[in-house]
Coordinates of all heavy atoms in Angstrom, one line a residue:
A1405 N 95.5 144.2 123.2 CA 94.4 143.7 122.4 C 94.0 142.3 122.8 O 94.9 141.5 123.0 CB 94.7 143.8 120.9
Q1415 N 82.5 117.5 116.7 CA 81.9 116.5 115.8 C 80.4 116.6 115.8 O 79.8 116.7 116.9 CB 82.3 115.1 116.2 CG 83.8 114.7 115.8 CD 84.0 114.6 114.3 OE1 83.1 114.2 113.6 NE2 85.1 114.9 113.9
R1419 N 73.6 109.7 115.0 CA 72.8 108.7 115.6 C 73.0 107.4 114.7 O 72.9 107.5 113.5 CB 71.3 109.0 115.6 CG 71.1 110.3 116.4 CD 70.2 110.3 117.5 NE 69.6 109.2 118.2 CZ 68.6 109.4 119.0 NH1 68.0 110.6 119.1 NH2 68.1 108.4 119.6
V1426 N 80.9 100.7 112.3 CA 81.5 101.9 112.9 C 83.0 101.5 113.3 O 83.3 100.3 113.5 CB 80.8 102.4 114.2 CG1 79.4 102.9 113.9 CG2 80.7 101.4 115.3
F1428 N 85.5 102.1 116.3 CA 85.4 102.5 117.8 C 86.8 102.5 118.3 O 87.7 101.7 118.0 CB 84.6 101.5 118.5 CG 84.7 101.7 120.0 CD1 84.2 102.7 120.7 CD2 85.5 100.7 120.8 CE1 84.3 102.9 122.1 CE2 85.6 100.9 122.1 CZ 85.0 102.0 122.8
R1429 N 87.1 103.5 119.2 CA 88.4 103.6 119.9 C 88.1 103.5 121.4 O 87.4 104.3 122.0 CB 89.1 104.9 119.6 CG 90.4 105.1 120.3 CD 91.3 106.1 119.7 NE 91.9 105.4 118.5 CZ 92.4 106.1 117.5 NH1 92.5 107.4 117.5 NH2 92.9 105.5 116.5
W1435 N 95.0 106.1 125.3 CA 95.8 107.1 126.1 C 96.9 106.4 126.9 O 97.9 107.0 127.1 CB 94.9 107.9 127.0 CG 94.2 109.0 126.2 CD1 92.8 109.1 126.2 CD2 94.7 110.0 125.4 NE1 92.5 110.2 125.4 CE2 93.6 110.7 124.9 CE3 96.0 110.4 125.0 CZ2 93.7 111.8 124.0 CZ3 96.1 111.4 124.1 CH2 95.0 112.1 123.6
L1438 N 98.3 101.3 124.9 CA 98.1 99.8 124.9 C 97.6 99.4 123.5 O 96.9 100.1 122.8 CB 97.1 99.3 125.9 CG 97.5 99.6 127.4 CD1 96.4 99.3 128.3 CD2 98.8 98.9 127.7
R1449 N 72.4 97.7 119.3 CA 71.3 98.5 119.8 C 71.8 99.8 120.4 O 73.0 99.9 120.7 CB 70.5 97.7 120.9 CG 71.2 97.5 122.2 CD 70.4 96.7 123.2 NE 71.0 96.7 124.5 CZ 70.5 97.3 125.6 NH1 69.3 97.9 125.5 NH2 71.1 97.3 126.7
Y1461 N 75.7 102.9 123.1 CA 75.5 101.9 122.1 C 76.1 100.6 122.5 O 77.2 100.5 123.2 CB 76.1 102.3 120.7 CG 75.4 103.5 120.1 CD1 75.7 104.8 120.4 CD2 74.4 103.2 119.2 CE1 75.0 105.8 119.9 CE2 73.7 104.3 118.6 CZ 74.0 105.6 119.0 OH 73.3 106.6 118.5
D1462 N 75.5 99.5 122.1 CA 76.1 98.1 122.3 C 76.5 97.7 120.9 O 75.8 97.8 119.9 CB 75.0 97.2 122.8 CG 74.6 97.5 124.2 OD1 75.3 98.3 124.9 OD2 73.6 96.9 124.7
E1465 N 81.9 93.6 118.3 CA 83.3 93.8 117.7 C 83.5 92.7 116.7 O 83.4 91.5 117.0 CB 84.3 93.7 118.9 CG 85.7 93.8 118.4 CD 86.8 93.7 119.5 OE1 86.4 93.7 120.7 OE2 87.9 93.6 119.1
P1486 N 81.4 104.6 106.2 CA 80.5 104.7 105.0 C 80.8 103.7 104.0 O 81.9 103.3 103.7 CB 80.7 106.1 104.5 CG 81.6 106.8 105.5 CD 82.2 105.8 106.3
D1489 N 83.2 104.6 101.2 CA 84.7 104.5 101.4 C 85.1 103.0 101.2 O 86.2 102.8 100.6 CB 85.0 104.9 102.8 CG 84.9 106.4 103.1 OD1 84.7 107.1 102.1 OD2 85.0 106.8 104.2
H1492 N 85.2 102.4 97.3 CA 85.9 103.3 96.5 C 86.8 102.7 95.5 O 86.8 103.0 94.3 CB 86.6 104.3 97.4 CG 87.4 105.3 96.5 ND1 86.8 106.4 95.9 CD2 88.7 105.4 96.2 CE1 87.7 107.1 95.3 NE2 88.9 106.5 95.4
T1504 N 95.9 94.2 85.3 CA 95.1 94.1 86.5 C 96.0 94.5 87.7 O 95.4 94.7 88.8 CB 94.5 92.7 86.7 OG1 95.5 91.8 86.8 CG2 93.5 92.4 85.7
A1506 N 97.2 97.3 88.2 CA 96.8 98.6 88.5 C 95.6 98.7 89.4 O 95.2 99.7 89.9 CB 96.5 99.4 87.2
P1509 N 93.2 94.3 94.9 CA 92.6 92.9 94.8 C 91.1 92.9 95.0 O 90.5 92.0 94.3 CB 93.3 92.3 96.1 CG 94.6 93.0 96.2 CD 94.3 94.4 95.8
A1510 N 90.5 93.8 95.7 CA 89.1 93.8 95.9 C 88.4 94.1 94.5 O 87.4 93.5 94.2 CB 88.7 94.8 96.9
W1514 N 85.9 91.6 92.5 CA 84.6 92.0 92.1 C 84.4 91.9 90.6 O 83.4 91.4 90.1 CB 84.3 93.5 92.5 CG 83.0 93.9 92.1 CD1 81.8 93.8 92.7 CD2 82.6 94.6 90.8 NE1 80.8 94.3 92.0 CE2 81.2 94.8 90.8 CE3 83.4 95.0 89.7 CZ2 80.6 95.4 89.8 CZ3 82.7 95.7 88.7 CH2 81.3 95.9 88.7
Q1529 N 81.8 102.5 83.0 CA 82.7 103.3 83.9 C 81.9 104.5 84.5 O 81.2 105.2 83.8 CB 83.9 103.8 83.1 CG 84.9 104.5 84.0 CD 85.7 103.6 84.8 OE1 86.0 102.4 84.4 NE2 86.1 104.0 86.0

Side-chain angles (χ1 to χ4, degrees):
Q1415 284 291 329
R1419 300 236 16 196
V1426 297
F1428 167 73
R1429 177 160 285 161
W1435 287 120
L1438 298 173
R1449 74 179 188 114
Y1461 292 86
D1462 292 348
E1465 178 183 349
D1489 290 349
H1492 178 76
T1504 58
W1514 178 87
Q1529 183 75 35

